[in-house]
């Protein structure tokens, strides 16, 4: 919109404020000015007036930023069906309400030095996920996950497009939202008897009419009494569902930047949970994101290798996640096309494309094998990149199709079995790849690698063609819908005729248990991709297998991975000679060759020769670990690792402290983690991928949320109170918190002495409590001092002491009761002291936030919080090295510590003892 269209200062101010609110209450100056469409002089004059009126405040950033001066989180009062929490930044309050562990009763009221502004409307990723998942609870009772997912995902979709495109000034916005079809219009329908019907007609149908790529089949029926209940039940359920997405923190206008896609990640989060809840028969619509990422990286697509005209295609696209992961590797708009047999799932894919910023993607419905929709003339369209996760072993693939007379010539290598459709999809992909440069990948069950008959003939042709570039074997139980292991076949027509081998990876052992399924970790993904790109042999993991070996009489084009890669763990063989004659076999000690290469003198410190080929421990088994830890060469090894960590820390410090509003957290963690991995490749004994995994786990757990807060608000670390509103509208103060910089870090750096005093009093209190418990237990029997007490407390004890007076016969009882009374008095005093110290420390910490400079906040967050945690993780890996070595040495020492002759001598000695005892008892033992 041109500047001349704004005719008055008042309107300009109103538009400035409303646009800033829509962007999450905080924005960079340049970004806000571009959103307003104003000249720089106009923007600066309005901004200056608002600053002078204290309606906005300046913030940090490369180009500066502004934020609304007063922003509060308010709970939606209409949603009274669940407990809501609102977060309000206020000075430290004195309250009689019960506080949590971070806000103790008895705190004195000392207002903070200034009003604390809350973080802006950008919600943490973890909070977003849990908030949206809560919406499923409104629907879960009456429907299967495969049904209620449609409603929840539509709500996510309509909220997103309303926030993102509802006030768009674009000439041709990616999504057109006609009047009456926005999320606000849905809010206006809450409580109306015909809410379901109105959503169908007034919102969904208008969206379909205004956007040619959307179809009625893409959306659920909001007026279905069988799923949503009848009458008032439907009205209440839909009202509650809408209310969840009304939360002010779920403002998606300001929640994405290029591939840093908060909504797309939330969508995948929901899809993964829906797939898990849907059970075996309905989980096919979701390809695990980890597998999709591997495929996107091994096919070789990247920003450098693509241009705007690059094309990517998925013939069985499901919800589109695999296709989108390919696009994410590019980092620019490319042509995305996909076909999906299930009509409802195709609708999910279309919404998914819009949510991920690819509204131009084309998703069509239909059976790809029988009726492929993407053609050039009468031939299949050829693409730069083709990826797919088709249904495994599809038994109905040929229904409606005559493979012998296929008009697209897909089955010239042979017809796949009628009841086994895996190769049908593979051949379709090969035909859809560009003739000399096309690349692709497909996920298939392992059976395609070794099954015989018609598939064996096709496999022979595939190997001879040179198109099969690689095979990646995946762990079992990764996919929703099947527990069988799958593999990725990587295809490449470029230089296919010159290809001399197939690169094989057996990655079946690299995963973590995640509920009922297995899941690839970040380190597993990275290791697979790194190994594939290097195409270098790695024992028990990867091999470049020559075509001659595959075609040999022994293998006969069988591609089953165990034929070429032995990934089994070496067997722990027992040494009979050692069992008979004692000593630890040198062969077992040699298994730690890498340790001895790094620490050669340590081996000599632990072992000495006993006889040729066998050794014994120099010191008792119990001292092995302490010997390792104290050895100078282990200390040198530790120092090397710590130096490497310091080197990495020095390299990434400018990146971490340099985070500013508008930065991209995903790009940040990619750079930081790659630097870590590269650095620790030089670390002896440690697996650099284990170190990498620690960082990625901590990123997902904490750093990710912190980074998103910083890019939204800058380095702002101010506490805010948490006000809880119950179903009756009553507000309770639940204490204060600070997301970016929690209280323990403030206390540790600035109030260590106060914390030490508090810890000492708490330790003393625990000791007194323990003494009281012991006293009560010791004298709680029938004849004990506390035998007649229903409950032991100060009142009954005092009464009993009065009752027995100076009675000489009760002297022992009186001593016990007085001892209890003294301990109880001390305990009460300590409780009061601890409570006071806690309250004082809590307030001191709270009030200290406003004094922090930006440099101090950066130091606390980066050094004390982030890097200290990662340094502790590296220390864990060092400890694991020493523990593994010590444990194995003890195991070997125990295994061979009692040889057969010694066992015989011990048995003989015990037999003599038993015989002697029996003789004394008058018994004989033959």
């Amino acid at each position: 919109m041109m500047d001349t269209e704004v005719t008055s200062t008042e309107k300009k101010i109103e538009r400035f404020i409303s646009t800033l609110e829509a962007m999450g209450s905080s924005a960079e100056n340049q970004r806000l000015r571009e959103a307003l469409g104003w000249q720089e002089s106009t923007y600066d004059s309005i901004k200056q007036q608002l600053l002078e009126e204290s309606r906005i405040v300046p913030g940090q950033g490369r180009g500066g930023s502004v934020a609304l001066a007063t922003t509060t989180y308010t709970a939606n009062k209409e949603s009274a069906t669940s407990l809501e929490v609102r977060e309000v930044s206020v000075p430290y309050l004195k309250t009689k309400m019960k506080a949590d562990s971070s806000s103790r009763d008895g705190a004195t009221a000392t207002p903070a030095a200034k009003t604390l502004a809350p973080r802006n409307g950008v919600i943490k990723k973890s909070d977003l996920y849990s908030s949206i998942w809560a919406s499923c609870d409104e629907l879960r009772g009456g429907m299967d996950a495969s049904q209620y997912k449609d409603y929840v995902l539509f709500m996510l979709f309509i909220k997103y497009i309303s926030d993102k495109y509802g006030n768009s000034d674009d000439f041709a916005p990616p999504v057109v939202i006609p009047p009456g079809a926005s999320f606000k219009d849905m809010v206006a329908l809450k409580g109306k008897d015909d809410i379901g019907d109105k959503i169908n007609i007034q919102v969904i149908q208008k969206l379909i009419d205004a956007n040619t790529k959307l179809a009625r089949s893409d959306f659920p029926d909001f007026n279905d009494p069988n799923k949503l209940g009848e009458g008032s039940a439907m009205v209440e359920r839909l009202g509650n569902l809408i209310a969840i997405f009304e939360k002010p923190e779920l403002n998606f206008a300001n929640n994405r930047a290029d591939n840093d896609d908060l909504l797309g990640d939330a969508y995948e989060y929901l899809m993964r949970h829906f797939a898990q809840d849907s059970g075996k028969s309905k989980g096919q619509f979701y390809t695990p994101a980890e597998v999709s990422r591997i495929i996107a990286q091994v096919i070789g697509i990247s920003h450098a290798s693509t241009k705007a005209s690059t094309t990517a295609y998925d013939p069985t696209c499901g919800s589109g996640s695999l296709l989108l992961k390919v696009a994410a590797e590019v980092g620019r708009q490319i042509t995305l096309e996909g076909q999906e047999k299930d009509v409802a799932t195709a609708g999910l894919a279309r919404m998914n494309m819009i949510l991920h910023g690819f509204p131009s993607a084309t998703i069509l419905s239909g059976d790809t094998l029988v009726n492929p929709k993407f053609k050039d003339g009468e031939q299949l369209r050829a693409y730069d990149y083709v990826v797919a996760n088709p249904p495994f072993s599809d038994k109905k693939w040929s229904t409606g199709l005559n493979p012998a007379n296929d008009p697209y010539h897909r089955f010239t290598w042979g017809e796949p079995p009628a009841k086994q459709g895996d190769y049908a999809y593979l051949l379709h992909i090969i035909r859809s790849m560009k003739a000399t440069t096309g690349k692709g990948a497909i996920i298939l069950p392992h059976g395609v690698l070794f099954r015989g008959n018609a598939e064996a003939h096709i496999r022979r042709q595939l190997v001879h063609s040179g198109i099969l570039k690689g095979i990646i074997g995946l762990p079992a139980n990764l996919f929703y819908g099947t527990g069988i292991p799958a593999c990725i076949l990587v295809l490449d027509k470029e230089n296919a005729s010159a290809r001399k081998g197939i690169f094989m990876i057996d990655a079946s052992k690299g995963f973590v248990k995640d509920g009922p399924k297995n899941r690839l970790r970040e380190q597993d993904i990275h290791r697979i991709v790194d190994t594939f790109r290097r195409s270098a042999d790695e024992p028990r993991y990867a091999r470049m297998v020559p075509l001659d070996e595959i075609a040999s009489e022994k293998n006969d084009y069988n591609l089953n991975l165990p034929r070429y890669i032995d990934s089994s763990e070496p067997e722990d063989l027992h040494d009979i000679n050692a069992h008979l004659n004692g000593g630890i076999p040198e062969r077992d000690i040699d298994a730690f060759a890498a340790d001895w290469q790094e620490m050669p003198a340590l081996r000599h410190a632990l072992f000495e020769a006993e006889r040729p080929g066998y050794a014994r421990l120099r010191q008792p088994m119990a001292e092995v670990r302490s010997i390792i830890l104290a050895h100078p060469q282990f200390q040198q090894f530790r120092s090397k690792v710590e130096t490497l960590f310091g080197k990495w820390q020095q390299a990434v410090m400018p990146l971490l402290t340099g985070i500013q509003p508008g930065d991209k957290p995903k790009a940040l963690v990619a750079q930081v983690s790659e630097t870590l991995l590269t650095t620790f490749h030089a670390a002896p004994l440690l697996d650099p991928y284990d170190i990498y995994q620690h960082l990625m786990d901590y990123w997902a757990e904490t750093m990710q949320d912190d980074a998103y807060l910083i890019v939204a608000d800058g380095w702002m670390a101010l506490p805010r109170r948490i006000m809880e509103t119950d179903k009756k509208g009553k507000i309770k103060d639940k204490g204060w918190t600070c997301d970016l910089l929690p209280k323990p870090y403030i206390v540790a750096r600035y109030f260590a002495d106060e914390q030490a005093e508090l810890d000492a009093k708490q330790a003393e209190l625990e000791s007194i409590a323990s003494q009281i418990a012991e006293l009560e237990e010791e004298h709680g029997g029938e004849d004990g001092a506390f035998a007649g007490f229903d409950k032991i407390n100060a009142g009954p004890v005092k009464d009993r002491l009065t009752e027995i007076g100076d009675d000489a016969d009760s002297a022992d009882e009186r001593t016990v009761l007085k001892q209890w009374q003294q301990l109880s008095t001390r305990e009460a005093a300590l409780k009061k002291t601890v409570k006071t110290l806690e309250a004082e420390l809590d307030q001191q910490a709270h009030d200290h936030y406003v004094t922090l400079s930006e440099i101090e906040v950066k130091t606390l967050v980066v050094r004390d919080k982030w890097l200290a945690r990662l340094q502790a993780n590296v220390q864990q890996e060092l400890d694991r090295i020493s523990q593994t070595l010590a444990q194995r040495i003890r195991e070997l020492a125990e295994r061979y510590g009692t040889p057969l002759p010694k066992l015989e001598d011990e048995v003989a000695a015990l037999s003599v003892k038993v015989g002697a005892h029996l003789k004394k008892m008058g018994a004989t033992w033959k």
Side-chain angles (χ1 to χ4, degrees):
M1 183 177 291
M2 296 299 295
D3 188 30
T4 55
E5 293 179 41
V6 182
T7 59
S8 69
T9 300
E10 290 75 15
K11 287 185 178 180
K12 290 176 184 176
I13 289 175
E14 181 180 354
R15 181 145 183 249
F16 188 108
I17 295 296
S18 63
T19 304
L20 186 56
E21 286 177 340
M23 296 178 73
S25 303
S26 174
E28 291 178 287
N29 286 317
Q30 182 177 350
R31 188 174 170 207
L32 178 56
R33 183 170 64 80
E34 289 174 353
L36 290 165
W38 290 353
Q39 297 293 329
E40 188 171 356
S41 58
T42 303
Y43 176 85
D44 288 342
S45 66
I46 297 300
K47 184 183 80 168
Q48 186 60 37
Q49 182 170 338
L50 290 171
L51 287 170
E52 291 172 357
E53 295 173 1
S54 298
R55 296 178 66 182
I56 62 172
V57 294
Q60 291 105 12
R62 292 191 177 96
S65 63
V66 292
L68 293 180
T70 56
T71 306
T72 57
Y73 282 31
T74 57
N76 189 288
K77 296 179 181 179
E78 293 180 16
S79 181
T81 59
S82 61
L83 196 65
E84 295 184 340
V85 174
R86 65 176 183 173
E87 303 165 344
V88 185
S89 284
V90 294
Y92 196 94
L93 300 178
K94 181 179 180 181
T95 175
K96 295 181 180 179
M97 303 172 187
K98 184 176 180 181
D100 63 8
S101 59
S102 66
S103 180
R104 306 288 179 180
D105 291 338
T108 58
T110 305
K114 60 184 177 182
T115 301
L116 309 182
R119 68 172 192 250
N120 72 20
V122 177
I123 191 172
K124 295 194 298 181
K125 278 196 170 187
S126 55
D127 290 346
L128 172 66
Y129 296 168
S130 58
S131 295
I132 295 179
W133 188 243
S135 65
C136 302
D137 292 329
E138 291 296 335
L139 302 168
R140 187 175 288 120
M143 283 181 274
D144 180 83
S146 63
Q147 296 174 319
Y148 70 70
K149 70 172 171 41
D150 298 333
Y151 293 94
V152 177
L153 292 174
F154 172 76
M155 294 300 301
L156 181 63
F157 175 74
I158 188 68
K159 183 64 167 68
Y160 172 76
I161 62 173
S162 296
D163 289 347
K164 191 69 179 176
Y165 305 117
N167 297 314
S168 176
D169 292 331
D170 293 349
F171 175 74
V175 181
V176 176
I177 304 175
S182 71
F183 179 75
K184 288 183 179 179
D185 297 304
M186 292 185 68
V187 172
L189 296 174
K190 287 168 58 178
K192 296 185 181 298
D193 294 340
D194 57 350
I195 180 174
D197 190 49
K198 282 285 176 61
I199 291 175
N200 284 342
I201 298 172
Q202 189 171 302
V203 178
I204 294 177
Q205 191 57 50
K206 285 185 177 181
L207 281 173
I208 295 167
D209 294 340
N211 297 275
T212 57
K213 290 196 175 185
L214 299 178
R216 186 64 189 87
S217 58
D218 296 349
F219 306 113
D221 181 2
F222 275 81
N223 199 35
D224 187 343
N226 295 323
K227 296 178 180 177
L228 299 169
E230 297 185 28
S232 60
M234 177 189 289
V235 173
E236 182 178 358
R237 177 169 282 177
L238 290 178
N240 293 340
L241 181 61
I242 293 170
I244 289 170
F245 286 85
E246 277 187 274
K247 292 182 179 180
E249 62 264 33
L250 297 185
N251 180 354
F252 301 139
N254 194 35
N255 267 327
R256 53 169 293 121
D258 297 335
N259 288 324
D260 252 353
D261 192 350
L262 192 62
L263 258 293
D265 291 347
Y267 188 91
E268 285 188 3
Y269 170 87
L270 288 172
M271 293 297 287
R272 183 170 70 250
H273 280 75
F274 289 139
Q276 185 171 339
D277 279 10
S278 291
K280 185 172 182 179
S281 63
K282 302 183 184 72
Q284 293 91 337
F285 58 78
Y286 178 73
T287 303
E290 297 82 9
V291 178
S292 298
R293 286 168 54 196
I294 291 172
I295 288 178
Q297 293 178 68
V298 298
I299 61 175
I301 195 169
S302 66
H303 187 85
S305 67
T306 57
K307 49 192 176 183
S309 60
T310 298
T311 56
Y313 167 60
D314 186 341
T316 57
C317 69
S319 60
S321 58
L322 176 53
L323 201 54
L324 284 166
K325 282 293 185 290
V326 171
E329 285 298 309
V330 181
R332 63 155 62 102
Q333 289 288 324
I334 61 173
T335 299
L336 300 181
E337 295 181 341
Q339 187 166 339
E340 169 55 37
K341 186 176 182 179
D342 184 84
V343 174
T345 305
L348 292 180
R350 279 185 279 270
M351 287 193 287
N352 201 4
M353 294 295 156
I354 293 171
L355 288 173
H356 278 81
F358 284 89
S360 61
T362 302
I363 306 295
L364 300 178
S365 302
D367 188 325
T368 292
L369 296 180
V370 177
N371 184 21
K373 296 291 181 71
F374 295 96
K375 297 183 289 186
D376 290 326
E378 294 303 316
Q379 296 300 315
L380 294 179
R381 185 171 299 167
Y383 296 87
D384 295 303
Y385 299 93
V386 185
V387 294
N389 177 19
F392 289 177
S393 303
D394 187 355
K395 295 183 175 9
K396 298 180 180 180
W397 72 272
S398 61
T399 302
L401 175 67
N402 183 358
N405 295 307
D406 178 47
Y408 310 108
H409 310 291
R410 290 172 290 186
F411 309 114
T412 55
W413 287 352
E415 293 182 25
K419 300 294 185 182
Q420 212 74 266
D422 299 314
Y423 271 100
Y425 291 101
L426 174 62
L427 293 173
H428 176 87
I429 283 181
I430 292 174
R431 194 68 180 177
S432 300
M433 294 162 55
K434 286 187 175 178
T436 58
T437 59
K439 305 177 191 302
I442 183 172
I443 304 169
L444 292 172
H446 273 276
V448 300
L449 303 178
F450 55 80
R451 289 194 298 248
N453 302 318
E455 291 185 318
H457 179 73
I458 300 172
R459 188 167 57 247
R460 181 187 296 263
Q461 303 300 314
L462 175 63
V463 172
H464 275 300
S465 73
I467 294 174
L468 182 57
K469 182 178 182 179
I471 303 170
I472 301 171
L474 299 172
N477 204 27
L478 284 182
F479 295 86
Y480 297 98
T482 179
I484 66 173
C487 60
I488 300 172
L489 271 57
V490 185
L491 310 167
D492 191 350
K493 288 186 177 179
E494 188 172 0
N495 299 321
S497 59
R499 194 159 283 128
K500 301 300 183 182
I502 299 173
F503 191 67
M504 299 185 183
I505 297 177
D506 185 348
S508 58
K509 304 293 176 61
F511 63 90
V512 66
K513 290 292 293 180
D514 186 9
K517 307 300 290 183
N518 296 330
R519 178 173 53 82
L520 294 170
R521 298 163 295 181
E522 291 293 330
Q523 71 177 83
D524 302 320
I525 298 168
H526 212 303
R527 190 190 298 270
I528 289 170
V529 173
D530 286 352
T531 305
F532 191 86
R533 287 175 173 171
R534 289 196 308 266
S535 292
D537 289 3
E538 192 172 321
R540 296 170 46 220
Y541 187 73
R543 266 192 73 201
M544 175 61 78
V545 182
L547 295 181
D548 291 344
E549 183 178 346
I550 294 170
S552 67
E553 183 178 350
K554 174 186 176 183
N555 292 315
D556 191 26
Y557 298 92
N558 187 317
L559 298 176
N560 200 21
L561 293 177
R563 283 178 173 261
Y564 307 99
I565 303 172
D566 181 8
S567 62
S568 61
E569 293 292 330
E571 188 176 355
D572 185 12
L573 300 174
H574 282 243
D575 188 301
I576 300 300
N577 191 306
H579 278 302
L580 293 174
N581 302 305
I584 300 172
E586 294 279 2
R587 178 199 65 199
D588 288 323
I589 301 173
D590 291 341
F592 285 89
D595 295 71
W596 311 136
Q597 184 176 351
E598 180 66 25
M599 302 172 285
L602 177 59
R603 179 170 182 167
H604 180 72
L606 290 168
F607 300 101
E608 60 184 359
E610 181 171 281
R611 53 194 174 90
Y614 297 88
R616 61 170 171 261
L617 282 175
R618 290 182 178 272
Q619 303 295 337
M621 280 189 293
E623 298 180 18
V624 168
R625 179 86 192 284
S626 58
I627 291 171
I628 294 172
L629 292 175
H631 197 274
Q633 289 189 341
F634 185 83
Q635 295 296 326
Q636 291 172 11
F637 157 66
R638 184 192 297 274
S639 179
K640 283 183 184 179
V641 174
E642 290 172 348
T643 299
L644 284 173
F645 183 83
K647 178 183 176 183
W648 170 77
Q649 180 175 285
Q650 186 176 4
V652 301
M653 183 66 74
L655 295 174
L656 297 176
T657 58
I659 304 174
Q660 293 293 341
D663 285 351
K664 302 176 180 65
K666 282 188 178 178
L668 169 73
V669 71
Q671 189 172 358
V672 169
S673 62
E674 290 304 315
T675 305
L676 179 71
L677 192 59
T678 300
T679 301
F680 273 85
H681 271 300
L685 301 180
L686 295 177
D687 184 338
Y689 291 100
D690 287 339
I691 304 295
Y692 171 82
Q693 185 64 42
H694 281 298
L695 171 58
M696 299 311 293
D697 285 344
Y698 186 51
W699 172 259
E701 171 193 327
T702 299
M703 284 183 70
Q704 174 179 241
D705 282 338
D706 289 349
Y708 273 93
L709 291 177
I710 294 168
V711 299
D713 300 334
W715 293 89
M716 182 185 295
L718 294 174
R720 53 191 170 81
R721 301 206 74 78
I722 301 176
M723 312 302 290
E724 186 181 87
T725 304
D726 62 19
K727 294 180 180 180
K728 297 180 179 179
K730 186 177 180 181
I731 298 175
K732 293 183 179 180
D733 185 344
K734 301 299 291 184
W736 60 271
T737 186
C738 182
D739 298 294
L740 183 62
L741 191 54
K743 172 184 167 183
Y745 298 99
I746 295 291
V747 171
R749 181 167 282 268
Y750 299 105
F751 303 103
D753 292 342
E754 290 83 349
Q755 183 65 58
E757 181 185 3
L758 174 59
D759 291 343
K761 292 299 181 183
Q762 285 177 323
E764 187 179 352
L765 176 60
E766 291 171 3
S767 175
I768 295 294
S770 178
Q771 292 178 50
I772 291 174
E774 290 176 6
L775 191 67
E776 290 175 353
E777 183 176 359
E778 182 181 354
H779 299 280
E782 291 183 4
D783 299 325
F786 302 109
F789 288 80
D790 294 329
K791 188 175 182 180
I792 306 173
N793 55 38
V797 170
K798 182 180 179 181
D799 292 342
R800 180 58 181 164
L801 282 171
T802 302
E803 182 181 339
I804 61 178
D806 294 329
D807 182 18
D809 294 336
S810 302
D812 291 341
E813 181 183 358
R814 184 167 49 252
T815 299
V816 171
L817 294 177
K818 284 188 175 182
Q819 184 180 355
W820 185 95
Q821 202 173 46
Q822 291 170 355
L823 289 171
S824 180
T825 301
R826 179 58 181 158
E827 181 185 42
L830 282 171
K831 282 182 177 179
K832 186 175 181 179
T833 300
V834 166
K835 189 174 183 179
T836 300
L837 290 174
E838 282 179 335
E840 291 173 351
L841 180 58
D842 189 68
Q843 185 174 340
Q844 286 176 307
H846 177 279
D847 292 348
H848 194 77
Y849 280 91
V850 296
T851 71
L852 295 174
S853 67
E854 182 176 310
I855 293 176
E856 287 177 305
V857 172
K858 288 182 176 181
T859 299
L860 286 161
V861 173
V862 177
R863 288 188 178 276
D864 294 10
K865 185 180 182 183
W866 294 349
L867 293 177
R869 164 64 180 272
L870 295 171
Q871 190 167 19
N873 292 147
V874 172
Q875 184 60 51
Q876 287 178 20
E877 292 300 315
L878 289 171
D879 291 342
R880 188 172 59 81
I881 294 293
S882 62
Q883 288 171 354
T884 301
L885 180 59
Q887 183 177 341
R888 179 58 175 170
I889 290 172
R890 286 196 296 266
E891 182 182 353
L892 292 171
E894 290 173 353
R895 177 183 295 177
Y896 302 115
T898 310
L900 183 61
K902 188 175 181 180
L903 281 174
E904 290 176 337
D905 290 345
E906 289 179 356
V907 170
L910 290 172
S911 296
V912 170
K913 285 185 178 181
V914 171
H917 287 306
L918 290 173
K919 187 175 181 179
K920 285 182 180 180
M921 292 186 291
T924 57
W925 179 37
K926 296 181 181 180

